[in-house]
Amino acid sequence: MKLVSRASRVVFGALALLVAIVIVQQPFATNDGPVHMAFADLIANFHDQGRALQRDAYRVDLRLTPNLLPYLLMALLIDLSSVRIAESVIQILCLLGPTVASWLAFRTIRRDNAWLAVFVFPLSLNQLFFLGLYNYCLSTALFFLVVASYWRLNEVRSIAWSLVLGASLTLILTTHAGGFVAAMSGVGALTAAHIVLAWRREKVGFLAALMQQWHAVLAMLIPLPLLLMSLSESAGAPVIYGPSLWERTISAGRLSILRQAGGADSIIALALSLGLLGLLAWAVVRLLRERATLAGKQFGAMVATLAALATSVGLMFVFPDTMGGGWTHFYRLILFPYFWILLLLAQQSFSPSVKLGMLGFATVTSFALLGTTMKHEVLVRAQME
């Protein structure tokens, strides 16, 4: 166990150092990133004397709505440094934040499985990052903080942790609506599964089973006023389903969201997808075989995680691609089923040799995808000169 832990820390450190060195020199070229930074710059310097023209053309509205938090963070960073440095910091948070947050979530679930966070890094090198959708990328990190908060709440069941979970859900809502939908539906599925299991498997009355989860229900109610306000403001926006069910299945199965320019990165994405889906199948078979011997709490947690996984897959298939004034919603939901697979794996016990093999696979995948990303970046920069 110590060997795997030390090896994973070396991998984390190497990835973090490499990403920081690359981005600090010059931020990755992204599609919408400069636009988001320009908006943040406008917020930071709106009342400067040289911004009279912008004040005539724009109005800064800082109401508490989805997407607001990243702009405030970017504006603060710009005020403290410069646009280039601010974008570098944001990109580092987008790429390393989900890995760090997942480490916390996996460690909360089972201390000796925190190393699974290495799998999250290659998933962060996705097309949405290179589209410059920083708010979405930051919400994937907050997703893991929501899960960690829920797991802790389910252990101690206190008002304090209920408020922490509610605050986490509100925080992710003010960061990105897609991340909130994934987190809220996941917490709802976990809570519903625990209620049903207590009611049917443990023969607890339904009302008593519901009362066991009242802390989680309270937490889910906290962000609802803000959510309702946001929905009322987006009423009337077009709703378009977008990619067909078959296209969604193929894209999700191949992890096409990780493909930048085809070729090697497509192969790496497919290998990562097949590896995680294979581990999912193994975990499900193991759960079925050992269900009679597993402790009730452990069995319930695994079944609840599978319910959350099924919910995330269902959302990915049915959610409109264009809705509420936004688009590419389907792509924004592809990653979360894979996150739930990792959260299920975090509850398993592995032999040291299996851990090393999985860590090696995740490490090779991470550095290989980072390598193809940097190669693609060189080509993009060359064409921009």
Side-chain angles (χ1 to χ4, degrees):
M1 184 177 69
K2 290 183 178 180
L3 177 60
V4 173
S5 178
R6 290 171 181 171
S8 64
R9 289 173 185 172
V10 171
V11 174
F12 289 146
L15 288 171
L17 181 61
L18 186 57
V19 167
I21 290 174
V22 171
I23 294 180
V24 166
Q25 291 180 349
Q26 188 175 31
F28 280 117
T30 64
N31 191 65
D32 288 355
V35 176
H36 293 305
M37 299 309 299
F39 288 156
D41 181 57
L42 185 60
I43 294 173
N45 301 294
F46 190 67
H47 296 288
D48 287 1
Q49 292 183 352
R51 298 298 179 102
L53 182 61
Q54 284 90 338
R55 287 194 293 273
D56 289 340
Y58 296 98
R59 178 172 61 91
V60 173
D61 187 351
L62 298 181
R63 285 178 295 171
L64 199 60
T65 56
N67 296 341
L68 174 63
L69 192 61
Y71 285 115
L72 295 181
L73 176 59
M74 288 186 284
L76 175 62
L77 291 172
I78 289 171
D79 192 49
L80 294 175
S81 55
S82 65
V83 173
R84 189 188 69 80
I85 293 176
E87 187 169 17
S88 294
V89 173
I90 290 296
Q91 288 192 358
I92 290 173
L93 290 176
C94 288
L95 293 180
L96 299 181
T99 302
V100 174
S102 67
W103 177 86
L104 176 62
F106 298 145
R107 192 174 186 274
T108 301
I109 294 171
R110 184 165 177 154
R111 188 182 185 92
D112 61 341
N113 280 339
W115 58 272
L116 283 167
V118 178
F119 279 100
V120 175
F121 178 79
L123 295 173
S124 299
L125 286 168
N126 57 68
Q127 291 182 15
L128 297 178
F129 170 76
F130 291 100
L131 282 174
L133 305 183
Y134 300 147
N135 46 6
Y136 164 81
C137 297
L138 293 172
S139 76
T140 60
L142 293 175
F143 168 83
F144 285 108
L145 294 184
V146 168
V147 173
S149 300
Y150 174 85
W151 225 267
R152 185 60 178 160
L153 172 63
N154 207 43
E155 290 177 354
V156 300
R157 294 181 181 175
S158 68
I159 290 292
W161 277 102
S162 182
L163 294 176
V164 169
L165 176 57
S168 299
L169 288 167
T170 304
L171 194 63
I172 196 172
L173 176 58
T174 57
T175 300
H176 189 265
F180 171 78
V181 168
M184 187 70 157
S185 62
V187 170
L190 290 170
T191 303
H194 281 298
I195 292 172
V196 172
L197 285 169
W199 175 40
R200 303 298 296 176
R201 194 168 192 260
E202 301 174 16
K203 305 304 180 182
V204 174
F206 180 76
L207 185 59
L210 181 62
M211 290 306 296
Q212 288 180 2
Q213 295 294 320
W214 75 269
H215 292 93
V217 174
L218 172 63
M220 288 187 286
L221 292 175
I222 292 175
L224 285 187
L226 176 58
L227 175 63
L228 293 175
M229 181 181 69
S230 302
L231 290 175
S232 65
E233 293 180 353
S234 62
V239 178
I240 303 172
Y241 181 71
S244 68
L245 192 63
W246 175 249
E247 290 173 324
R248 293 179 182 224
T249 302
I250 295 299
S251 293
R254 291 178 176 175
L255 265 177
S256 299
I257 193 173
L258 302 185
R259 186 180 64 187
Q260 298 302 319
D265 47 2
S266 298
I267 297 173
I268 297 168
L270 181 60
L272 181 59
S273 170
L274 293 177
L276 290 175
L277 292 174
L279 288 168
L280 169 63
W282 168 81
V284 171
V285 170
R286 185 179 188 181
L287 174 62
L288 293 174
R289 286 179 177 176
E290 300 178 1
R291 64 184 183 277
T293 59
L294 286 173
K297 187 175 182 180
Q298 185 180 8
F299 176 82
M302 290 184 186
V303 171
T305 305
L306 285 172
L309 168 60
T311 301
S312 69
V313 171
L315 270 175
M316 182 184 68
F317 282 134
V318 304
F319 208 85
D321 195 50
T322 300
M323 182 180 178
W327 53 92
T328 66
H329 290 319
F330 158 62
Y331 253 45
R332 299 172 201 240
L333 294 173
I334 281 181
L335 292 180
F336 294 102
Y338 289 95
F339 290 163
W340 283 113
I341 291 175
L342 291 170
L343 289 163
L344 178 63
L345 294 176
Q347 301 169 54
Q348 310 297 319
S349 59
F350 303 99
S351 67
S353 59
V354 171
K355 283 186 178 181
L356 283 174
M358 292 173 63
L359 178 61
F361 174 69
T363 301
V364 170
T365 302
S366 297
F367 280 104
L369 197 58
L370 182 58
T372 61
T373 298
M374 293 172 65
K375 180 180 178 181
H376 182 251
E377 177 71 8
V378 171
L379 294 175
V380 170
R381 290 293 178 185
Q383 293 180 8
M384 292 174 63
E385 292 178 355

